[in-house]
Amino acid sequence: MSEIGRLLVRAPNWVGDVVLSLPALRDARRAFPDARLEVLARGWVADLYRAVPEVDAVRESQGLAADAEALRGQHDAALLLPNSFATALAVWRAGIPERWGYATDGRGLLLTRRCPVPPAVRGRSQVYYYRAMLEGLGIATEGPPDATLRCPGEWSDRGAELLGEGAWIGVNPGAFYGSAKRWLPERFGAAADIVARRAGAKVALVGGPKERPLAEAIAEGMEAPVRVLCGETTLAELVGVLSRLRLLLTNDSGPMHVAAALGVPLVAVFGSTDWTETAPVGGASRVVREHADCAPCLLRECPIDHHCMTRVGVDRVASEALELLAS
Ligand code: SF4
């Protein structure tokens, strides 16, 4: 494996998974210090790798056939972080001689180096899911996991421009996966009002275009000065905005992981998802959740009364946030 001069890393397709796989990417960088490390990523996550200094170049995936054509003869090895058959087929069709990854989705025969998913990764942060793959492939992992992003200066400047003057806290009230992951919108607004008043801050509501109606409804009910940025930011601009926040109140979501990777203090409300595997990594993060026998259900929509979320009170979230700010 030491003769790998050009290494392709196929990125996960979700923002949160990209962040949680960064420690494994850095392990690969350490294992091949002289290789040119290129990342192949879907367009909606590709920019995140521009905040990862260990990456030499980023390519946007254009789909299986186009990727196979574009990658032909360009790399010595491909490390596949996603588990899908299609990602293995693309690098096999591209003729990349070494193809590494978990033996999942019936793709084992397409891989030259493969390993099963070890049961021991269940119930641990997902960073160990990716690191265990490297260990299974014979690539050493070292030290505590480093899932940090370094926000480029121009992104941070753009974030400041979008926010305007003053101190800001953020609220990320959506969750792309589904409504089961969302805390109650009016409670986000009430908690943000308490924190903003005590901290002398304004409130930025962040997220994608689909979350804009939700954010506008929250903003209408709030007392603090508010800006709704949902749907107004590229991924790079969202990273820039998050980097300028004093604190983020959030659901379990991609922006939560990005904020944690930037070292932004945050309070994350968890209900239907498994906090043992997808809690924010590192930094000043707090997870707030209440007991529910049915949690984690991992469903997109709650089929009953959503009590995993309705049991989480405004005061609890606000006091965790104020403690974080005070520390
Ligand atoms: S089924 Fe239970 S864990 Fe899942 S969303 Fe509903 S209340 Fe929450």
Side-chain angles (χ1 to χ4, degrees):
M1 285 208 288
S2 55
E3 290 165 18
I4 303 301
R6 299 166 304 171
L7 175 63
L8 180 76
V9 175
R10 177 57 168 87
N13 293 331
W14 296 91
V15 168
D17 293 343
V18 167
V19 172
L20 294 173
S21 65
L22 288 177
L25 182 141
R26 291 189 163 113
D27 290 324
R29 170 82 284 171
R30 272 191 293 273
F32 304 102
D34 301 322
R36 176 176 166 79
L37 193 158
E38 245 181 51
V39 167
L40 176 68
R42 302 308 292 256
W44 55 88
V45 299
D47 267 347
L48 270 188
Y49 287 99
R50 303 185 203 285
V52 183
E54 289 82 358
V55 172
D56 295 313
V58 186
R59 286 174 183 249
E60 278 194 27
S61 169
Q62 305 295 336
L64 197 161
D67 288 348
E69 189 57 34
L71 297 171
R72 197 171 304 283
Q74 308 274 310
H75 304 90
D76 302 310
L79 173 66
L80 305 176
L81 296 174
N83 289 333
S84 68
F85 184 86
T87 52
L89 187 59
V91 294
W92 178 81
R93 279 177 55 175
I96 297 177
E98 290 284 330
R99 303 174 298 275
W100 307 332
Y102 273 134
T104 48
D105 204 23
R107 67 184 189 173
L109 286 176
L110 296 174
L111 303 177
T112 56
R113 193 177 286 260
R114 68 193 77 85
C115 60
V117 178
V121 298
R122 301 293 173 206
R124 297 186 76 197
S125 169
Q126 209 174 303
V127 298
Y128 297 105
Y129 179 87
Y130 293 109
R131 287 191 118 186
M133 181 175 78
L134 267 67
E135 287 161 10
L137 297 171
I139 300 171
T141 63
E142 262 180 54
D146 178 358
T148 55
L149 290 167
R150 322 296 200 282
C151 182
E154 65 269 29
W155 294 8
S156 175
D157 292 346
R158 178 67 183 139
E161 197 181 317
L162 283 164
L163 286 168
E165 302 227 319
W168 291 83
I169 64 166
V171 176
N172 172 45
F176 187 75
Y177 183 74
S179 63
K181 285 174 88 171
R182 293 185 199 135
W183 194 38
L184 284 65
E186 63 278 12
R187 294 193 190 177
F188 265 124
D193 264 338
I194 294 170
V195 179
R197 190 164 54 243
R198 292 277 294 275
K202 304 176 201 174
V203 179
L205 289 154
V206 298
K210 285 193 178 152
E211 277 119 28
R212 195 164 180 94
L214 175 73
E216 283 173 345
I218 293 172
E220 259 176 43
M222 289 184 62
E223 292 166 7
V226 184
R227 281 220 54 192
V228 177
L229 292 172
C230 297
E232 293 182 8
T233 51
T234 62
L235 180 57
E237 287 172 335
L238 174 63
V239 175
V241 166
L242 291 171
S243 76
R244 308 295 298 206
L245 298 177
R246 289 189 60 195
L247 177 113
L248 180 70
L249 306 179
T250 180
N251 293 316
D252 175 16
S253 62
M256 173 194 79
H257 288 293
V258 172
L262 293 168
V264 177
L266 65 88
V267 179
V269 183
F270 271 66
S272 62
T273 52
D274 189 348
W275 69 278
T276 64
E277 295 189 0
T278 60
V281 175
S285 307
R286 299 218 178 160
V287 168
V288 173
R289 64 194 179 89
E290 296 290 353
H291 177 78
D293 282 337
C294 44
C297 69
L298 307 181
L299 295 171
R300 289 179 187 271
E301 315 291 334
C302 179
I304 48 175
D305 60 358
H306 213 198
H307 61 273
C308 63
M309 284 298 190
T310 58
R311 286 176 179 173
V312 178
V314 169
D315 289 348
R316 169 124 191 258
V317 171
S319 70
E320 296 279 0
L322 290 169
E323 272 179 35
L324 266 181
L325 283 176
S327 64

